[in-house]
Amino acid sequence: MGEVLQKNFVFAFSNQGTKSTLKVPIPIPLDTTAESLAGRLIAAHNIPCYVEADLLKKLKEFLAEETEKWQDEFAEAAVKKLRSGSVSVEELARQWTKAYTKEIKQYSPPEETSDEVIFSEVYHALIHSDALETLFNLEHQYSIAVEEIIGSRNWELETTEKKHGKEMEQALQDVRLHTDEHVNILAQKHFEKSQELEVKWNKELKELQNQQKREYREWVMKVYEDSSKRLEGTPAYVQKVRALSRSSSDRSSLTQTDVGPMPPEPRLEESFTVHLGAQLKTMHNLRLLCADVLDLCRHRISNLGGLIVPQPQRLQTAMSLYSNNLCGLILLVDNRLNFYTGIKRDFARICENSTDFHFPDLESQFQHVEESVIEANKWRAERKLNEDGDRISVKSSSSGSSETQGEEKLKRMQNGDFYITKHSNLSEVHVVFHLVSDDSVKNGDISSRHPLILAIRNVLKVCSRNDVTTLTIPLLLAHEMSEEMTIPWCMKRAELVFKCVKGFMMEMATWGDSGSKTIQFLVPKELSEDMFHAFSNMLPQIFRVNNPLVIKSS
Amino acid sequence: MGVISECMDNAELSVITFAAASHPNDQCGANGLPLTPNSIRILGLFQKVKSQKHPRLCRYIDIERGKHERLMVVSEFHQRNLKKDARTFKGESEKLLIVAYEVLEGLSHLNDQGIVHRSLTPECIQFDKQGHVKLAGYGLYHMTDQGTSVAFPIGSPAYLSPEVLAHGPSLIKEHGFTESVPKPYSSPKCDVWSLGIILLETFFGIRLWYQKSLSELLKKTLEFTKSDVEPFKHIIDEHNLGLKLQSMPQNLQDFIQNCLTGSVSKRSSPKQLLQHQVFCRHQNVIKTPYIDLLYPFSAKLRCEELEMPKEGDFEDEHEEPIRRRPLEEVYYLWQRAGGDLESILRKAELLKAKPPVTILPHFVIEDGETFGQSRDSSDLLDETVILLNLDQLRQRLKDIPEEAYYPLLEDENSIQGNMQAGPEQNSEETSETSRLPLVIKEKDVEYQFHRIILFSRLLKGYPFKRPHLLKEARVDIPPLVRGHVWAALLEVEGDVQEQYDRIDKETPTATDRQIEVDIPRCHQYNELLSSPAGHAKLKRILKAWVISNPQYVYWQGLDSLCAPFLYLNFNDEALAYACLAKFIPKYLHNFFLKDNSAVIQEYLAVFSNLIAFHDPELFNHLDEIGFIPDLYSIPWFLTMYAHVFPLHKIVHLWDTLLLGNSSFPLCIGVAILKQLKDRLLTFGFNECILLFSDMPEIAIDTCVQESIKIFCMTPKSSLYRQHAKQPAKPEPVMSRPNISYYSTDYHDQPQNELSLDPIPLEELKSERCPRISAEDLIELGELKGPAQTKSPTKRSREGKPKLLMIDVRSEEDYLRGAVGGSINIPHSTAFSADGSLVPCSALNKLNSCRNLVKVIIGNKGRTASNFAGDLVRLGYSKVCVLYKGIDVLRPTGLLVVPSTDLR
């Protein structure tokens, strides 16, 4: 908006023969009504009541005139810019065209519906039909094939490793025959061999998964077409699936004994319902959960007398994949984008255990993430430059480092950043927030301004914007117990996280999402039962659970 | 001439949807608080658009917020528009001029209100059944704050004026640190340009630059700013219209040429164009006065312009009766008949969002900036207009006879007479529904239909119909008319707008800072109150109140008190202020004094007595742990519960509160405690403090019913407060008809020797039980016979407390003369050593009448109140003490010598 001007309003009237003149500066454009301004002038300047109507009339005329002048000047200013050539007609036309084509459907090129979108719609329809069971059976058949390969791979890798170990042992014992050089060469050989094996197997695995994915998708589309074509009789897909399961049944019968029903680990958990908000309260569900974080991902299959029964959680996860109720999980990782070590490797293993029929595999998702990381780091640098520019920094372009170093720098993630991957083949999770954390989190007295705590807020924000309605947060900001995590340390940390999350949840209501949320606080499996109960006592105190609405029927 | 027709007629209801632009990550406003979401800003600005009523404008009816910054706007819609009917206007200069004139009328009205259309197109120029212009689409530019709250540009490219284009579109950056771009403010004159283009196109039956691409079309208009060629001539030449131009009358040519002036300062404004010589013939023909005759709170003569419908006005067409109701009413009923905007838009595939899992971002950095998120194409603006189907509503209302649309209102006398018989003039069904819980009633189409029609008719008759209105309000108040009904209950009268205009709401004062701090904390979950428009309004009303009441100071809580009124009268600040100004003296007299401790302390002491009176068990417990009302109930009373409950509960609470007198809020407090009783009894001091630091959920319907019960079971004099507002002068009976014993204040009644006198605070605090005046005793005890009763309600039999009088003087005194029907338990022998009551026949009588109000009658001095306190300690409820003791009754001649068997 243009500048607000002060214009003098002059009003003359006669009072008992004496002429009086009122002269006041009035802001143009006026942000209140003429009536209200007149009322104020009358009160402030003791204007006699018999000129009130006249004053209002004059004031209105004055305002109309001055406002029009102001508006004209404002409009002319833009025109002048164009005339003087500081903006070109072409540039403006381009901007407007962009605005119209990018933001209004009528002008934007029609968006072709991608295969992904079609597939998601078809799948969502099927999984909510009676094709659900067959879909699951099919997925299971596929996963068995994958497990088979993985089993063989692991076996071969293991045996080779053993063999190598033996050879190496021999070589070391027989020092006279084998010089250091020989040993080195042997080690090199062994390494190459295992690498080769791994590459071979992984290639095979990937091929299988790609093939499965293709088949699966084709099949889903076909079934959908069939079922929408003929609504009566036994749907074609049922027969199809039966045939499919039969053909692979001999294969699966072999492996079933190997896999066996894994006994579900007993979980320690407690649920709460809380009402948050000062006057208007929203209801949320909280759960305190003692489990291994990867148990929420790991896919367990129960085999009841030859019948494959997926876990109920898994069913839920599949049915809500394309819904507005997603489940998310915060996984704490280091700042390197790979899956070679630690929990990252374990997680990657679980992901490859079965084919993800909906989303790209972890590796390709990481590639996308990397692109975004580079974009983000560029933006960060630009912003820093802007801020420094404001402060007229003397540190001008000190970053004369080499290209490659810059590239590495651009890929670096910081404490509190997180990348997001999505999955369709995990047990209770659709979305994983990989939250980058360093050792500073082990410190006993981190504050509510710690990057990790702020990152939880950002995660909640992404959740609220993208309909992730269930989120699992590692309560202690650690997945495993370690030495420094003493009882006071744990109590302090739990209190901090509870309190901060409560604050964020209350803030969430202002982010324009009023729906109820489920937050699961996850504590490491090794946590003592006493500690767990201490947390479960603390939670209701912090979240004030004791305010239920009690209605008595009289 | 006429007035704005409030009827729906052949208009339709339509809905459009668009998404507000989301803010860049975590930006803060100037006050350091996070920015209000754009959808809420729009919702606040929309309210002004909604209040526009003019014969040349389509009404805006409602706005709803969906998930993820989505907005849905409901407005009036007419099937016929200039684009559809273009052919009938081709070459018709006279017809076109009438259209132009009517459009300008609409525009000029909007300009007066500070609104610019900015997106004038032939589709926007709609026609009602008489063929008059109804402008649509004028609200979008205003509600989006000059288009800055949305990502899409506003207006159709072909009709945008050169100066608008010269400003460039408002650009929303993808990532933070936006530089401040000046708002592309458009002047009213840009609509004149659009009108010129529309007239030109329609006259020749062409579309300008139809074949050109979008960017070329934009360039064409932009170029007018650079060259000095007259746009009109240029357009004619480019389209080879030179020959055809001869068929256009010179006056229309002049007019269009005037519209298409390149220079803004030389172009006329809509208001100036109305005076254009082309229209000199029309000016007298088309006259459109617009007075809102339905607004009950003005000092204007509302019947001056009233025209009685002529014979046959309704006969000539087979119009559905529902179409004679106002649009907002029809929409309100449509919603109750199961209408849901979101499902309609979803069905029309206008809300087709991608599954959220597919559009997640890839990477989020530590300060929350997101990267790699793909745009959801459903966020793009789709200008499709969807009509709301009224079939379902018609179905629900089909059995309602046409007479029901015009209920007969009886006159004053029959109302009074009817009080005994009950208000059953409605159909039986309605009266049956009226007994259902409020939440159900508010959702019932037919019930709401009857109620709304009844109330809107009564409101038209305000203030004459006030008694009738009061009577109906006791049943319930339909949400649609609540704002006005409340104002009527509060006896708001006179020219509220004028009064409000005269208050200086702008000059900075010392309280401004505190007000600015409080407003962003006041009921911010509510969309209206959290919008910037709401903040500005709340601030003005608060400032107006502070400056108009120099004897008072601004106390925190005044904001909460104001919130319900603003929420209900968002577009009528003056009325919201008038309600507040009436409410405070009635219920919170002197609460806002700089030193209000005497007032508050007395209030709390009376409250404490009331708890003891109704729930001695709870009282004893709270007393024991030291949890006194001072610790929790001050915010309740200071804001009349507006601070502790959400708005949807406050409105239901206040629906009843406004009907009661100034003592009623005390009863609500007791009702709340009673609802929480079970928990409170098990809690210690700390838990109690914690419980009330954040008000627990309360079932408000039950609470209201309970407080009414409590109120009815309490003698009025027991709620006496010396600091309550004293009547200034006896009101003429006619203006405030005395409907029942309970609707008047004890304090409004004339004082006599039998009434209560001010009681020192210390004394009040030291006693557990409330007092009863001799006056009340005589009345409630029916000592002078039932004819004396002041309570003409039909509920008088069960709704009035019955008394048990306990004379605690010595037997000797008692036998010498006592109140008829009283029993005697001499205080000196009443209690045994362990504090329990000594059994006697009178005690049996007391125990068998536990539910009666027990009036302790003693001599002067503290014995009676001590005795009463002991009864409370023993768990006896409804104990009160006769003020001034037996002596006060001596002059009345009511004392008798009791027969001995009653001891």
Side-chain angles (χ1 to χ4, degrees), chain B residues 16 122 201 259 268 565 575 596 634 680 740 877:
Chain B
I16 58 157
E201 283 190 345
C259 291
S268 309
F565 294 118
L575 189 61
N596 60 4
I634 292 176
L680 288 173
S740 93
S877 67

Side-chain angles (χ1 to χ4, degrees), chain A residues 1 32 35-36 39-40 42 52 68 70-72 74-76 78-79 82-83 89-90 92-93 95-97 99-108 111 120-121 277-281 321-324 326 359 368-369 372-373 375-376 379-380 382-383 386 413-420 422 431 457-458 461-462 464-467 510 512-513 544 546-552, chain B residues 25-26 37 65 67-68 151-153 155-157 160 163-169 175 177 182-183 185 187-189 214-215 218-219 222-223 225-228 263-265 272 352 354-369 371-373 375 377 380-383 501-502 504-507 523 525 643 645-646 648 678-679 690-691 693-695 697-699:
Chain A
M1 177 96 54
T32 152
E35 283 82 3
S36 161
R40 209 177 137 192
I42 290 163
E52 278 177 12
E68 191 185 322
W70 180 87
Q71 286 163 342
D72 287 350
F74 185 80
E76 295 285 4
V79 174
L82 202 62
R83 285 199 154 202
V89 169
E90 281 71 28
L92 275 175
Q95 280 181 11
W96 278 101
T97 312
Y100 275 102
T101 50
K102 277 261 165 93
E103 300 293 344
I104 302 189
K105 211 168 201 167
Q106 194 191 333
Y107 301 97
S108 75
E111 194 191 27
S120 68
E121 279 168 11
Q279 286 136 343
L280 187 76
K281 301 187 194 314
L321 179 60
Y322 291 110
S323 75
N324 294 54
L326 296 173
F359 305 116
H368 287 298
V369 170
S372 293
V373 171
E375 188 196 345
W379 180 80
R380 253 197 286 234
E382 192 187 332
R383 181 182 57 173
N386 265 25
M413 290 183 285
Q414 294 179 6
N415 206 11
D417 292 354
F418 60 91
Y419 51 95
I420 301 169
K422 44 202 178 188
V431 183
R457 177 172 175 273
N458 293 332
K461 209 167 184 180
V462 171
S464 118
R465 280 194 185 160
N466 294 284
D467 298 324
T510 64
D513 192 13
R544 293 273 188 78
N546 60 0
N547 284 352
L549 172 60
V550 183
I551 301 174
K552 271 185 276 178
Chain B
N25 170 55
D26 272 347
R65 251 176 103 222
K67 255 181 142 184
H68 303 312
F152 55 85
S156 179
L160 288 183
E163 76 273 9
V164 167
L165 290 177
H167 262 294
H175 291 295
F177 62 97
K183 262 186 208 173
Y185 179 90
S187 87
K189 291 178 178 175
L214 178 59
S215 76
L218 291 163
K219 270 184 218 162
L222 276 166
E223 243 131 44
T225 59
K226 296 196 91 170
S227 65
D228 291 318
S263 154
V264 189
S265 42
Q272 289 155 353
K352 221 175 151 213
K354 284 184 187 160
V357 75
T358 59
I359 49 169
L360 282 164
H362 289 307
F363 184 56
V364 181
I365 63 171
E366 93 287 355
D367 64 0
E369 208 70 50
F371 293 88
Q373 184 155 29
R375 177 83 189 269
S377 57
L380 298 196
L381 175 69
D382 187 332
E383 290 164 301
D501 278 340
R502 284 175 174 271
D504 178 3
K505 302 166 285 283
E506 307 291 333
T507 312
H523 291 284
Y525 55 86
H643 181 69
F645 289 125
H648 69 269
D678 287 354
R679 266 180 281 168
L690 263 178
L691 182 73
S693 69
D694 184 17
M695 187 68 157
E697 290 268 342
I698 297 284

Side-chain angles (χ1 to χ4, degrees), chain A residues 23-208:
Chain A
K23 191 173 161 187
V24 277
I26 287 172
I28 301 290
L30 189 69
D31 62 351
T32 152
T33 60
E35 283 82 3
S36 161
L37 179 63
R40 209 177 137 192
L41 291 177
I42 290 163
H45 299 277
N46 260 333
I47 310 284
C49 60
Y50 50 84
V51 294
E52 278 177 12
D54 197 26
L55 172 77
L56 182 62
K57 188 169 153 263
K58 287 269 163 54
L59 186 64
K60 275 186 173 171
E61 284 166 8
F62 170 82
L63 283 173
E65 194 182 316
E66 291 298 332
T67 310
E68 191 185 322
K69 256 193 230 159
W70 180 87
Q71 286 163 342
D72 287 350
E73 270 167 38
F74 185 80
E76 295 285 4
V79 174
K80 231 174 248 164
K81 252 198 206 161
L82 202 62
R83 285 199 154 202
S84 69
S86 63
V87 198
S88 74
V89 169
E90 281 71 28
E91 171 61 17
L92 275 175
R94 197 189 56 75
Q95 280 181 11
W96 278 101
T97 312
K98 190 179 153 210
Y100 275 102
T101 50
K102 277 261 165 93
E103 300 293 344
I104 302 189
K105 211 168 201 167
Q106 194 191 333
Y107 301 97
S108 75
E111 194 191 27
E112 74 256 37
T113 26
S114 67
D115 289 350
E116 287 301 317
V117 174
I118 297 171
F119 180 70
S120 68
E121 279 168 11
V122 166
Y123 178 81
H124 196 69
L126 278 187
I127 199 100
H128 286 89
S129 72
D130 52 4
L132 165 75
E133 201 182 324
T134 31
L135 265 175
F136 261 110
N137 272 323
L138 183 62
E139 283 187 16
H140 179 61
Q141 302 303 338
Y142 278 139
S143 75
I144 285 169
V146 172
E147 271 170 28
E148 232 175 280
I149 288 210
I150 289 175
S152 315
R153 177 191 71 179
N154 291 353
W155 180 81
E156 195 172 344
L157 283 177
E158 238 168 76
T159 42
T160 335
E161 209 172 296
K162 269 184 205 153
K163 203 179 93 194
H164 288 167
K166 256 185 212 150
E167 282 176 15
M168 188 54 84
E169 214 174 304
Q170 254 177 357
L172 288 175
Q173 276 174 2
D174 215 347
V175 191
R176 282 172 299 161
L177 283 178
H178 299 276
T179 60
D180 281 4
E181 202 177 330
H182 274 118
V183 173
N184 278 349
I185 288 170
L186 189 65
Q188 179 77 15
K189 229 190 207 161
H190 285 168
F191 179 71
E192 271 165 17
K193 177 74 182 161
S194 2
Q195 279 277 297
E196 194 183 305
L197 270 177
E198 210 161 314
V199 167
K200 185 197 105 187
W201 278 109
N202 282 350
K203 197 176 154 215
E204 194 164 323
L205 185 64
K206 203 163 235 178
E207 256 166 32
L208 176 71

Side-chain angles (χ1 to χ4, degrees), chain B residues 412-424:
Chain B
E412 226 50 51
N413 296 330
S414 64
I415 297 284
Q416 292 285 351
N418 231 5
M419 292 306 299
Q420 312 287 348
E424 268 58 55

Side-chain angles (χ1 to χ4, degrees), chain B residues 51-112:
Chain B
S51 68
Q52 298 308 316
K53 289 183 189 170
H54 188 272
R56 298 289 167 257
L57 298 178
C58 284
R59 294 278 320 270
Y60 277 89
I61 307 296
D62 193 27
I63 190 164
E64 256 185 53
R65 251 176 103 222
K67 255 181 142 184
H68 303 312
E69 294 293 88
R70 178 137 304 263
L71 290 156
M72 294 161 266
V73 176
V74 181
S75 59
E76 180 180 346
F77 181 82
H78 294 267
Q79 293 285 2
R80 290 175 52 208
N81 63 44
L82 190 59
K83 193 181 179 191
K84 268 192 198 162
D85 292 2
R87 225 174 268 169
T88 58
F89 287 97
K90 190 176 168 187
E92 299 281 345
S93 67
E94 275 307 302
K95 271 170 138 185
L96 271 179
L97 278 173
I98 293 177
V99 169
Y101 187 78
E102 294 188 341
V103 168
L104 288 170
E105 278 183 313
L107 288 176
S108 143
H109 170 79
L110 288 174
N111 298 159
D112 286 344

Side-chain angles (χ1 to χ4, degrees), chain B residues 820-837:
Chain B
S822 63
I823 57 169
N824 182 221
I825 308 179
H827 67 90
S828 49
T829 56
F831 294 96
S832 62
D834 62 350
S836 62
L837 282 163

